[in-house]
Amino acid sequence: MKYYIIAGEASGDLHGANLMKEIFKEDENANIRFWGGDLMNAVGGELVSHYKERAFMGFVEVILNLRKIFGFIKFCKEDILKFNPDVIIFIDNSGFNLRVAKWAKEEGFKTSYYISPQVWASRASRVEAIKRDVDSMYVILPFEKPFYEKYDYEVTFVGHPLIDGIAGRDQVDEKSFREQYQLGNKEIIALLPGSRKQEIKKMLATMLQMVDKFPNYQFVVAGAPSQTEEFYQSFLSEKNVKFINNKTYDLLSVAKAALVTSGTATLETALFKVPQVVCYKGSWLSYQIAKRIITLQYISLVNLIMDKEVVTELIQNDFTVANLEQELQKILDETHREKLFLDYFELEKKLGGKGASAKTAKSIVNSLI
């Protein structure tokens, strides 16, 4: 069978790679063509476009790059027609994927969506378009299934793929890890400033203000695979901070606490049972627009899934040096940490068991037989 997969961003590349591995197990003759990244490319198939070419963040940047984005969409449609797949699989990346899905359905292609667009966060009216354009939706957050049921749309909850990714990794020997990266003996505070240049620039400068305020800890920046080490070094030259590229899971496994830019990383940090402060600051205009269309009480996945404030969120004007110092001090306090650990264990239970990618792949392949 022929599969056309469209993923964007580092997280989409990760989940796409795991899904592809499972598709190849279910269909050893699978012919996969995809939009993704290095992880998907390492699995096999044929890469059409790397997500780095389409990394536009925030309302303003998207508007400024509309011509380029529509050019990618046009090319994608043409490429799908040439390949003529048995199924198109969309992974998150709603701004791009929902436009292609509408066209694909009109052209008569079978459509599946793995990792739902965040229609529960804003513009719920998009559910009607999803019902029309997506044959099968596979969701990874427990509250998404009842959300879609309100709109009379049956979806499949498969559990969260991060459970598999974290459970299946090799355990890190902390002594060797510290020696390899010259981390010394101080307890580690991990800094996860995001994966896109714009957000890293906005987040990392404030995060680094904590270094001098907590001299008894070793701060380590987790580099994203989408950026070069040279890019990060411009922020780190005058600070006693270590930089480790593309080893976020290893770093979290030995960290005492973390400062994390809102996104998938907040959930990853929680699954490693690392106390965290969630941070986010966008451009003034993007924030004003988002504030008017996003209907959620929280922005971190941890708090959304638990439906209460488990981790502190410092958003926009609240993301200040003074607030960050205060909240970091809290998560280093043992009493606060004990309560947080209990909530983290409850969170993991809510996410379901292992096998999200395998369940999704099996269902998609079986639907083609």
Side-chain angles (χ1 to χ4, degrees):
M1 296 292 181
K2 296 165 75 173
Y3 306 81
Y4 199 98
I5 304 177
I6 309 174
E9 302 185 345
S11 60
D13 183 34
L14 171 65
H15 301 319
N18 290 328
L19 181 65
M20 286 170 64
K21 289 174 189 174
E22 298 300 332
I23 288 174
F24 280 124
K25 288 179 187 177
E26 295 290 333
D27 178 3
E28 53 189 41
N29 296 315
N31 182 2
I32 303 179
R33 191 167 170 83
F34 61 92
W35 294 50
D38 297 339
L39 297 177
M40 293 173 76
N41 203 30
V43 175
E46 187 170 357
L47 175 65
V48 180
S49 173
H50 201 289
Y51 67 80
K52 289 180 184 178
E53 300 172 16
R54 298 168 281 125
F56 306 115
M57 187 190 83
F59 298 102
V60 176
E61 197 192 357
V62 168
I63 290 169
L64 292 175
N65 287 279
L66 275 177
R67 179 177 291 184
K68 193 179 290 188
I69 293 167
F70 284 124
F72 279 122
I73 292 173
K74 181 174 182 289
F75 172 69
C76 183
K77 293 174 181 178
E78 292 169 352
D79 196 58
I80 290 171
L81 286 173
K82 287 178 187 173
F83 186 60
N84 193 28
D86 294 291
V87 62
I88 303 170
I89 304 169
F90 303 98
I91 300 178
D92 200 0
N93 196 30
S94 63
F96 189 93
N97 278 339
L98 288 179
R99 286 177 171 83
V100 177
K102 180 179 186 297
W103 167 87
K105 193 62 183 173
E106 290 170 351
E107 291 292 323
F109 288 104
K110 188 174 186 64
T111 56
S112 291
Y113 216 120
Y114 178 45
I115 305 178
S116 168
Q118 295 181 356
V119 289
W120 34 267
S122 66
R123 294 176 290 158
S125 58
R126 291 178 292 170
V127 174
E128 293 306 318
I130 290 171
K131 288 173 64 176
R132 180 192 65 216
D133 301 329
V134 177
D135 297 317
S136 304
M137 173 69 76
Y138 302 92
V139 302
I140 63 173
L141 299 172
F143 59 78
E144 290 177 314
K145 187 173 175 64
F147 168 82
Y148 276 113
E149 283 174 351
K150 291 191 299 185
Y151 295 89
D152 195 30
Y153 183 50
E154 187 64 32
V155 303
T156 304
F157 173 58
V158 293
H160 205 291
L162 285 179
I163 299 290
D164 293 325
I166 292 172
R169 57 183 288 281
D170 294 330
Q171 294 299 307
V172 173
D173 180 82
E174 182 170 354
K175 184 173 182 293
S176 299
F177 184 80
R178 284 178 175 274
E179 288 174 355
Q180 181 181 355
Y181 294 103
Q182 300 178 324
L183 298 178
N185 296 318
K186 292 180 180 178
E187 291 181 308
I188 293 169
I189 296 176
L191 304 182
L192 280 64
S195 60
R196 294 161 166 163
K197 281 186 178 178
Q198 302 97 313
E199 64 186 358
I200 294 168
K201 286 177 181 177
K202 286 185 179 296
M203 308 306 301
L204 191 51
T206 302
M207 290 180 175
L208 288 172
Q209 294 298 307
M210 297 302 104
V211 176
D212 294 335
K213 297 178 183 297
F214 293 84
N216 295 326
Y217 294 88
Q218 175 63 64
F219 285 76
V220 183
V221 176
S226 54
Q227 306 299 336
T228 64
E229 183 171 349
E230 288 73 26
F231 171 71
Y232 288 96
Q233 289 303 335
S234 62
F235 300 94
L236 308 179
S237 56
E238 298 180 8
K239 292 286 185 182
N240 182 24
V241 178
K242 297 293 184 179
F243 171 82
I244 301 178
N245 197 35
N246 202 18
K247 294 283 183 184
T248 301
Y249 283 8
D250 291 351
L251 176 59
L252 286 174
S253 71
V254 299
K256 171 85 169 181
L259 307 180
V260 187
T261 295
S262 180
T264 305
T266 63
L267 190 54
E268 292 171 316
T269 303
L271 290 173
F272 274 96
K273 310 300 185 293
V274 178
Q276 63 183 298
V277 181
V278 176
C279 313
Y280 193 78
K281 188 168 189 174
S283 71
W284 180 86
L285 182 56
S286 291
Y287 177 70
Q288 293 303 317
I289 295 170
K291 195 166 66 168
R292 285 159 175 75
I293 66 172
I294 293 175
T295 57
L296 300 173
Q297 185 176 357
Y298 307 109
I299 70 164
S300 72
L301 286 171
V302 176
N303 292 343
L304 286 169
I305 293 166
M306 292 295 286
D307 196 25
K308 66 177 183 178
E309 186 180 79
V310 172
V311 294
T312 298
E313 300 177 352
L314 298 180
I315 310 304
Q316 205 65 11
N317 294 334
D318 290 333
F319 181 55
T320 65
V321 171
N323 286 345
L324 193 56
E325 180 182 4
Q326 179 179 318
E327 294 303 326
L328 178 53
Q329 193 66 61
K330 275 186 195 174
I331 63 172
L332 292 171
D333 175 75
E334 288 305 320
T335 303
H336 185 88
R337 292 166 65 84
E338 286 173 13
K339 180 181 182 306
L340 195 52
F341 291 143
L342 292 175
D343 285 328
Y344 277 172
F345 283 113
E346 183 63 28
L347 169 76
E348 190 166 358
K349 276 195 241 173
K350 285 177 177 284
L351 287 174
K354 299 178 184 178
S357 301
K359 292 171 193 170
T360 304
K362 189 177 187 66
S363 180
I364 291 172
V365 172
N366 286 343
S367 74
L368 303 177
I369 298 171

